[in-house]
Amino acid sequence: MVYEKVVMNKLPKKIPLIIVLVVSIVSLNVLAVSLVGYLSFQNGQRAVNDVADTLRREITFRIEEHLETFLHVPQQINETNSQLLRQEVLRVNDPEMLERHFWEQIQIFDSVSSIYFGNTAGGMANAGREGEDGFLYVIATDDFKQGAFRKFETDDEGERGELLLTMPNFDARTRPWYQGAVVNEGVAWSEAYILFTGQDMAIAVSQPVYNRDEALVGVVSVDLFLSQLNDFLQEIEIGQSGQAFIVERSGLLVATSTEEKPFSEADEGGGRRRFYATESGSPLIRAAGERLVAEYGDYAQIDTAVHLEFELEGERQFVRVLPLAGEEGLDWLVVVVIPEADFMTYIEANNRTTVILIVLTLISTVLISIYISHKVTEPILQLNKLANKLAKGELRQTTGRDTRIREISSVMGAFDDMATELARLVAELTGEVAERKRAELVLRRSEENLRITLDSIGDAVIATDAEGLVTRMNPVAEKLTGWLLVEAEGKSLGTIFQIVDEQTRQEVVSPVEQVLAVGGIVELAENTVLIAKDGSERLIADSGAPIRDSRNKLIGVVLVFRDVTEEIQTKAELLKVKKLESLSILAGGIAHDFNNLLAGLYGYVDLAEMYLDKEHRAYQYLQKANQSMEQATHLTHQLLTFAKGGEPIKRTFSIREVIVETAQFSLRGSNVRLETDIARDLWLVKADKGQLSQVISNLVINAQEAMPRGGTVTITAQNEVVDGEMCIKVVVQDEGEGIEPQYLEQIFDPYFSTKERGSGLGLASAYSIVQKHGGRIGVDSVVGEGTCFVVYLPAEGEGSVVGDEITLEEQILQKSLAELHILVLDDEALVRQVIGTMLEQLGSDVTYAMEGQEAIDKYEAAYRGG
């Protein structure tokens, strides 16, 4: 009875009918009592929320009302003093009168820490209190103008006593309280700050003073003690355990209802700092501050009164935040936090009673449900036993049909008929099922072998059906295309396999379409680019082949491809290196011989100029000849860059001045403007200064030639770490017409140029110099917008360069040439002759040598002869 066992194993587990009936009845009762309990709880919770909201509003209103009164006092003082100065009851040029007046005022207002006036000459008169005992002091500047700031202790009569502090170079006009009032042309509030003595925190409010002609004569200001706000908040009853606090938009505490100070004690250096709400010693204030930051990101986002809730140690807390914006810059938040536990005593008692009633109701419901269900299910249990026997293979079963319940009796008759028919069908199906299982097992093994084979292939593989819809991809294909098999399956190949020609950027015909068209293997053309899902591009080599069934019918296509980007780039770089090596061999020979010829020409032209007056007509022609030879010399320098003899002579220096000076010189007299942005802390490089100057010059000249109608060349230089190595990044950006994409890979090739004029060696020599310095150079260009060259050079690190020591050559040049006996060594007679002639004209004694050993012998002979 194998078939019966299989069927039984696949049948889901059934729930007893008696359980269904009991659970149904109990569930209805649970739903009813839960709804009642929920509504009861919600009503209680709503009452708690209403009470909490009313209390929070009342407390924030009292705090807001007190703050308005508290902050109004200093404004009244400023307004009074401003009017007295305007009406000349107080004289703006009499610091002693102002000092006495402020000293008398400071004793009237306990919340005020200091009252002062700054005039338009930078002078200040001040009176205030400090220290725990609140001793009084006065402050004045010398001659009531910008200068020394002196602070004196005062006696009971307001007379100056001991000099407490002197501060040089004080200017009231530079202070924030002065500038804020002048800029606002009215009242200006400062941020809260810690007093120098550390006894308290204070805040300043200032106001400009104008004379009767509406001319500014100075600014009056008042500082307030903020500890009085702490005292007021501590006096307010906030539920049983609620707390309140005031913060600035930055999150720094101004005052709290706790006894903690909103700032730290002095550290070893005497410094103090203010606390943020999230740093408060009160867990309730700290948690409220963190909740506000989590909800709004920062306090600046709260522009209206808000209500929110949060949990602290498992208990819900109610929060109300009220913005308090002053007239000119005072922007605080008043926060009130009240624990829910302060209101929950009676609500929790009512909830306990409700829970007890619900539990009793459920127990009664379960007992009644069990009794009723047993009476209903007894005849069904008999039918269930017979069904179990039938399921175990005992097909010859009869029910007897002795129940009085009509519906169950009908089911029993149907059961008897089913048992008879089932016995007949089992025999027929047993053989068919066994055969199907064997076929399914073979198919699963084949599928698994195919999956393992595709996953182990190093190339990417995509399979499609005859309509070009994706059916399978291996992991390599997922990586290159950016599509997962679960995303791509069922999609057209063109959706996930987008390919274009690298040069023309035209879309390439899908290889699947080609295979379906020709019915055989096809390969992609070279320079085919695959565009991945994320937009990245790769050069690929690709082939497609048809998939045929056992009857040779084409049922799909398999596409095999690989990433050849690095391979092609490596070939291109090797080709460029070979070009440069070929040019190096040619350049070395040409530049050496050409330099010798130029040296002779330079010398004889200079000699001719020495014997001609500057007004002589031939002198002008000789200068033009010199200019032509300078251009020829520049060309030979570019050729020498590629020659083996053109290796850089490296020294450690900062390229900041090299960049600026070379760029300015290269653009001299042109219609192109130069802008630079060079980091002040630019690292040092070890390089050939002349060759790096040539790189900058070539790039700047290239940019200038790209903008014949003028424009701006922008050069930036900054420090950058690339692959763990310190580098200096130099960017040269122009606003020219840009370079066509097909030319970008050729612009560093020797003798390649898109301009009508030019040798095509400028960018090639720049490329060679950067390579010889261990760096790299790249280009990016957008047609119609401009071109950007980027150069990376290895950096030596931070520091400064000590000035170069004077070389032997420089020491010699510092002497008079008439004092020197000079040995001229060169294998070219023309060069020896012209150099010797010039030195003899300058008064030197000259000896000649054609080759090295001859020069050594003559030097030793001259040295021994003294």
Side-chain angles (χ1 to χ4, degrees):
M1 302 300 291
V2 177
Y3 176 73
E4 288 106 356
K5 291 181 180 179
V6 172
V7 173
M8 287 300 297
N9 289 336
K10 289 191 174 182
L11 286 175
K13 292 183 178 180
K14 300 297 184 179
I15 302 174
L17 180 60
I18 189 171
I19 298 298
V20 173
L21 294 175
V22 171
V23 170
S24 299
I25 298 172
V26 171
S27 297
L28 290 174
N29 283 275
V30 168
L31 178 62
V33 296
S34 297
L35 182 60
V36 172
Y38 173 76
L39 293 176
S40 175
F41 177 79
Q42 287 296 314
N43 289 333
Q45 191 65 49
R46 191 177 297 110
V48 170
N49 291 341
D50 291 343
V51 173
D53 184 60
T54 301
L55 182 58
R56 285 178 291 174
R57 289 177 182 275
E58 180 182 346
I59 292 171
T60 52
F61 175 75
R62 290 180 58 190
I63 294 173
E64 180 182 18
E65 188 177 53
H66 178 79
L67 283 173
E68 288 179 356
T69 302
F70 177 74
L71 299 174
H72 186 62
V73 170
Q75 295 186 66
Q76 284 184 322
I77 295 173
N78 279 340
E79 183 63 29
T80 299
N81 289 338
S82 176
Q83 290 299 325
L84 292 174
L85 288 166
R86 179 182 178 88
Q87 296 169 9
E88 299 182 357
V89 176
L90 292 176
R91 294 188 294 274
V92 295
N93 57 356
D94 190 342
E96 289 79 8
M97 174 184 284
L98 295 172
E99 182 181 309
R100 168 62 65 173
H101 176 71
F102 296 155
W103 185 83
E104 292 173 350
Q105 279 187 324
I106 201 70
Q107 298 179 77
I108 299 173
F109 302 100
D110 294 337
S111 63
V112 174
S113 61
S114 64
I115 305 172
Y116 44 96
F117 170 74
N119 62 23
T120 55
M124 185 180 77
N126 177 301
R129 63 167 57 86
E130 68 179 29
E132 294 183 358
D133 56 354
F135 78 86
L136 302 181
Y137 65 84
V138 293
I139 295 174
T141 55
D142 292 350
D143 298 327
F144 205 28
K145 62 182 181 180
Q146 173 188 355
F149 167 111
R150 304 183 190 278
K151 179 178 180 181
F152 300 90
E153 184 177 3
T154 62
D155 58 19
D156 295 339
E157 301 300 325
E159 299 298 330
R160 293 183 180 181
E162 179 185 354
L163 176 63
L164 301 175
L165 175 68
T166 299
M167 181 188 300
N169 301 322
F170 177 81
D171 189 343
R173 296 167 298 184
T174 65
R175 310 307 295 171
W177 54 268
Y178 188 102
Q179 294 178 345
V182 173
V183 171
N184 290 348
E185 296 183 353
V187 176
W189 287 91
S190 73
E191 294 183 354
Y193 64 92
I194 304 171
L195 294 177
F196 177 78
T197 59
Q199 71 181 88
D200 204 341
M201 282 175 50
I203 186 171
V205 57
S206 55
Q207 176 177 331
V209 179
Y210 300 95
N211 61 20
R212 294 178 178 177
D213 296 329
E214 300 303 327
L216 178 71
V217 296
V219 173
V220 290
S221 185
V222 175
D223 290 350
L224 289 174
F225 285 131
L226 293 180
S227 60
Q228 298 188 44
L229 293 181
N230 282 54
D231 297 339
F232 171 74
L233 294 178
Q234 292 172 21
E235 293 173 358
I236 298 177
E237 183 178 350
I238 310 173
Q240 296 179 10
S241 57
Q243 293 179 3
F245 60 97
I246 302 172
V247 293
E248 294 178 343
R249 290 289 182 171
S250 62
L252 291 171
L253 286 170
V254 176
T256 71
S257 59
T258 66
E259 295 185 358
E260 69 168 335
K261 290 184 177 181
F263 58 91
S264 67
E265 297 296 335
D267 55 22
E268 295 180 358
R272 295 177 173 84
R273 73 176 187 88
R274 296 177 59 192
F275 291 140
Y276 288 91
T278 53
E279 299 176 313
S280 172
S282 167
L284 193 57
I285 293 178
R286 184 170 62 252
E290 292 171 352
R291 181 68 178 88
L292 288 173
V293 172
E295 181 73 17
Y296 295 98
D298 60 64
Y299 296 96
Q301 303 299 321
I302 305 174
D303 53 4
T304 60
V306 297
H307 300 262
L308 51 88
E309 301 172 6
F310 69 93
E311 286 194 2
L312 177 62
E313 298 180 354
E315 294 187 359
R316 193 162 61 139
Q317 313 292 326
F318 297 97
V319 181
R320 175 176 168 82
V321 184
L322 178 66
L324 181 68
E327 296 179 357
E328 300 292 342
L330 183 62
D331 196 2
W332 292 348
L333 297 176
V334 178
V335 185
V336 176
V337 188
I338 304 176
E340 183 186 39
D342 290 0
F343 311 97
M344 288 298 294
T345 304
Y346 297 106
I347 299 298
E348 290 176 353
N350 182 64
N351 289 342
R352 285 194 295 271
T353 302
T354 303
V355 169
I356 292 172
L357 292 175
I358 291 173
V359 171
L360 292 176
T361 302
L362 290 177
I363 293 173
S364 301
T365 302
V366 170
L367 295 176
I368 296 172
S369 300
I370 292 173
Y371 175 76
I372 296 174
S373 300
H374 176 71
K375 291 297 183 180
V376 173
T377 59
E378 186 175 3
I380 299 176
L381 291 176
Q382 181 187 0
L383 182 59
N384 181 56
K385 291 179 181 179
L386 295 175
N388 287 333
K389 290 181 179 180
L390 182 64
K392 292 178 182 178
E394 300 178 17
L395 302 180
R396 303 299 179 182
Q397 299 293 329
T398 59
T399 61
R401 305 184 187 182
D402 58 354
T403 180
R404 294 183 179 181
I405 301 175
R406 183 174 57 188
E407 289 80 3
I408 296 179
S409 178
S410 176
V411 171
M412 287 181 173
F415 177 83
D416 292 341
D417 297 338
M418 179 190 68
T420 302
E421 181 67 15
L422 182 61
R424 185 183 66 80
L425 294 175
V426 165
E428 296 179 0
L429 294 176
T430 301
E432 182 180 344
V433 170
E435 182 64 27
R436 182 175 296 178
K437 285 188 173 293
R438 283 194 296 271
E440 290 177 353
L441 180 61
V442 172
L443 180 60
R444 284 199 299 269
R445 288 177 178 174
S446 177
E447 288 282 338
E448 180 64 17
N449 290 336
L450 177 60
R451 184 189 64 79
I452 293 173
T453 300
L454 290 180
D455 289 351
S456 62
I457 293 176
D459 289 346
V461 179
I462 300 177
T464 73
D465 59 17
E467 296 179 356
L469 303 180
V470 176
T471 59
R472 187 178 297 277
M473 294 174 66
N474 70 349
V476 179
E478 291 180 330
K479 179 179 179 182
L480 293 181
T481 63
W483 289 81
L484 298 176
L485 176 59
V486 294
E487 300 173 324
E489 190 171 8
K491 287 185 171 61
S492 168
L493 180 69
T495 302
I496 68 168
F497 191 73
Q498 298 182 20
I499 51 178
V500 298
D501 185 274
E502 182 186 22
Q503 300 296 331
T504 65
R505 305 303 295 180
Q506 295 295 318
E507 185 175 353
V508 177
V509 178
S510 170
V512 172
E513 295 180 13
Q514 298 180 47
V515 170
L516 293 176
V518 303
I521 298 175
V522 298
E523 294 186 359
L524 287 178
E526 294 184 357
N527 301 324
T528 299
V529 175
L530 170 64
I531 303 176
K533 183 179 181 182
D534 61 2
S536 60
E537 298 185 357
R538 296 180 175 89
L539 288 167
I540 60 169
D542 166 282
S543 65
I547 302 174
R548 300 182 182 276
D549 60 13
S550 59
R551 292 173 294 180
N552 202 35
K553 179 182 178 182
L554 195 154
I555 60 174
V557 176
V558 61
L559 184 66
V560 182
F561 59 97
R562 59 190 175 89
D563 185 357
V564 296
T565 304
E566 293 185 3
E567 179 182 331
I568 292 177
Q569 290 177 347
T570 301
K571 290 180 179 179
E573 288 297 323
L574 289 175
L575 179 61
K576 186 177 293 185
V577 170
K578 290 180 179 179
K579 289 181 180 179
L580 291 176
E581 288 177 351
S582 300
L583 181 60
S584 172
I585 297 172
L586 175 63
I590 294 175
H592 177 74
D593 295 339
F594 195 43
N595 265 340
N596 286 336
L597 294 173
L598 287 176
L601 291 174
Y602 261 122
Y604 286 123
V605 169
D606 287 343
L607 286 171
E609 287 181 346
M610 292 172 61
Y611 290 100
L612 290 177
D613 187 270
K614 290 184 179 181
E615 301 301 325
H616 195 282
R617 186 174 181 180
Y619 187 86
Q620 298 176 4
Y621 294 141
L622 291 174
Q623 284 189 321
K624 291 183 179 180
N626 255 327
Q627 292 174 359
S628 298
M629 288 188 293
E630 285 180 2
Q631 295 177 358
T633 302
H634 180 69
L635 179 60
T636 60
H637 286 169
Q638 290 182 329
L639 291 172
L640 281 172
T641 301
F642 303 102
K644 294 183 179 180
E647 292 298 322
I649 302 174
K650 298 182 179 180
R651 291 184 180 179
T652 301
F653 64 95
S654 171
I655 65 171
R656 181 184 182 88
E657 290 75 14
V658 174
I659 294 173
V660 176
E661 292 175 2
T662 303
Q664 290 175 343
F665 180 81
S666 299
L667 296 176
R668 183 180 57 185
S670 71
N671 59 348
V672 175
R673 188 165 59 91
L674 174 66
E675 289 186 0
T676 60
D677 182 10
I678 302 176
R680 293 187 176 277
D681 58 346
L682 206 61
W683 291 330
L684 304 179
V685 296
K686 187 173 184 180
D688 187 314
K689 183 179 293 187
Q691 290 191 3
L692 287 190
S693 176
Q694 184 179 344
V695 171
I696 300 300
S697 177
N698 288 343
L699 294 180
V700 171
I701 291 172
N702 185 78
Q704 175 190 349
E705 293 175 348
M707 298 183 291
R709 291 185 295 275
T712 300
V713 174
T714 303
I715 303 179
T716 62
Q718 61 187 27
N719 301 323
E720 194 166 304
V721 177
V722 180
D723 297 332
E725 296 184 359
M726 299 170 61
C727 296
I728 294 177
K729 178 182 178 182
V730 181
V731 179
V732 179
Q733 174 78 52
D734 65 49
E735 299 175 341
E737 292 301 320
I739 303 172
E740 296 290 341
Q742 62 268 28
Y743 299 138
L744 283 177
E745 293 186 358
Q746 300 174 268
I747 61 172
F748 294 117
D749 292 347
Y751 302 115
F752 176 81
S753 176
T754 60
K755 306 182 185 72
E756 295 181 1
R757 299 173 58 190
S759 63
L761 288 175
L763 293 179
S765 64
Y767 181 89
S768 177
I769 291 171
V770 173
Q771 290 289 324
K772 289 180 179 180
H773 282 79
R776 61 181 187 272
I777 182 172
V779 62
D780 186 21
S781 184
V782 178
V783 176
E785 296 183 10
T787 302
C788 176
F789 286 90
V790 181
V791 178
Y792 287 93
L793 295 172
E796 285 291 293
E798 303 177 6
S800 59
V801 180
V802 179
D804 295 338
E805 296 181 357
I806 299 176
T807 62
L808 177 61
E809 292 83 358
E810 292 171 338
Q811 295 177 20
I812 293 173
L813 292 176
Q814 289 176 356
K815 296 183 179 181
S816 171
L817 290 174
E819 303 174 16
L820 301 176
H821 183 188
I822 298 176
L823 174 63
V824 177
L825 168 64
D826 198 281
D827 59 347
E828 288 288 340
L830 177 63
V831 176
R832 292 197 305 273
Q833 185 64 39
V834 69
I835 293 175
T837 302
M838 294 180 71
L839 290 173
E840 289 173 351
Q841 292 293 329
L842 295 173
S844 299
D845 185 8
V846 182
T847 300
Y848 300 91
M850 180 177 179
E851 48 86 24
Q853 187 58 48
E854 180 185 359
I856 294 172
D857 293 342
K858 289 185 177 182
Y859 172 80
E860 290 178 346
Y863 182 78
R864 286 192 299 270

